[in-house]
Amino acid sequence: MSFTLAKTERLAAILAQVPVIPVLTFNDVQSGVETAKALRDGGLTVLEITMRTPQALDVLTAIVNEVEGVTVGAGTILEPEHVQKAIAAGAAFLVSPGSSSRLLAAGGEAPIPYLPGCSTASEAMHLAERGVTFAKFFPAGPAGGAPFLKSLVAPLPELHFVPTGGIDMGNVRDYLAIKNVVCCGGSWVAPQQAIESGDWAAIKALASEASALKAR
């Protein structure tokens, strides 16, 4: 496994682009493309497409090919074979909700950056031992929220987190104010109802509000 400096720096550059990374699930390609355009126009240029639907890989490829100015990652990577499929679809980075030895090996050897997940201090320590610098903290709210992440700053200063799960405009600033948080993941910027109704203006407005936030 190899979490190389070059890939870590590439991941750092991606995560630094936005205060919020939209976490998106789509059932059809066109909705995905239009949502990506609205989010981009609102200032959110890094997207995570979750691999939770049969159409996910097609949506990811379509956004990569049709929407300029966005960096698209594949989320909900659960198995080593998901890594290769996401890369083939055009993903620029990989995200998993947790981590396993097999997945860490596959993600570490991938040619694109990988953001593994954790939800406890022990899991965070395990990732740090494997050379991980950036980790997804999921599910952020149920796992302890902003106070938990703040408590990890002193004992694990080398780790930086992307909290995701249970975050919205009501609490996102609490996370972004923490020293070891680089950005947050969230689905509130593209509500499913807005996607289904084609309300791209609403999604753009939510993205504009979120893109104006700043991490510490």
Side-chain angles (χ1 to χ4, degrees):
M1 189 186 69
S2 178
F3 286 90
T4 64
L5 178 60
K7 285 191 291 184
T8 297
E9 289 178 341
R10 282 164 60 194
L11 182 58
I14 291 170
L15 300 178
Q17 289 184 42
V18 291
V20 176
I21 296 177
V23 179
L24 308 164
T25 303
F26 296 112
N27 292 306
D28 69 274
V29 170
Q30 193 57 38
S31 291
V33 169
E34 295 303 323
T35 299
K37 290 178 179 177
L39 290 167
R40 176 203 61 192
D41 293 346
L44 297 182
T45 56
V46 179
L47 314 176
E48 177 188 333
I49 310 301
T50 67
M51 300 294 102
R52 300 178 187 173
T53 66
Q55 298 82 11
L57 291 171
D58 290 337
V59 174
L60 194 155
T61 298
I63 293 174
V64 169
N65 291 335
E66 299 179 32
V67 184
E68 295 183 3
V70 295
T71 302
V72 190
T76 321
I77 300 295
L78 304 177
E79 300 288 343
E81 53 263 36
H82 294 169
V83 172
Q84 296 307 318
K85 289 180 179 179
I87 292 170
F93 63 99
L94 307 166
V95 186
S96 63
S99 58
S100 65
S101 296
R102 292 171 63 240
L103 193 53
L104 283 170
E109 293 298 335
I112 61 175
Y114 167 48
L115 182 73
C118 65
S119 62
T120 69
S122 294
E123 291 172 357
M125 289 171 62
H126 177 66
L127 293 180
E129 287 179 354
R130 303 291 286 267
V132 172
T133 302
F134 296 93
K136 176 174 180 171
F137 175 54
F138 178 85
F148 177 86
L149 274 187
K150 191 173 182 179
S151 72
L152 294 183
V153 173
L156 296 171
E158 71 276 19
L159 269 181
H160 303 275
F161 296 94
V162 180
T164 307
I167 299 177
D168 55 29
M169 280 301 297
N171 60 11
V172 65
R173 291 181 178 85
D174 295 336
Y175 288 94
L176 293 175
I178 301 170
K179 184 178 180 180
N180 60 354
V181 169
V182 290
C183 64
C184 293
S187 58
W188 86 89
V189 292
Q192 209 61 38
Q193 182 177 355
I195 293 174
E196 292 173 0
S197 64
D199 194 347
W200 316 126
I203 293 174
K204 179 182 176 181
L206 289 168
S208 296
E209 183 182 32
S211 67
L213 299 166
K214 298 293 183 183
R216 184 168 186 261

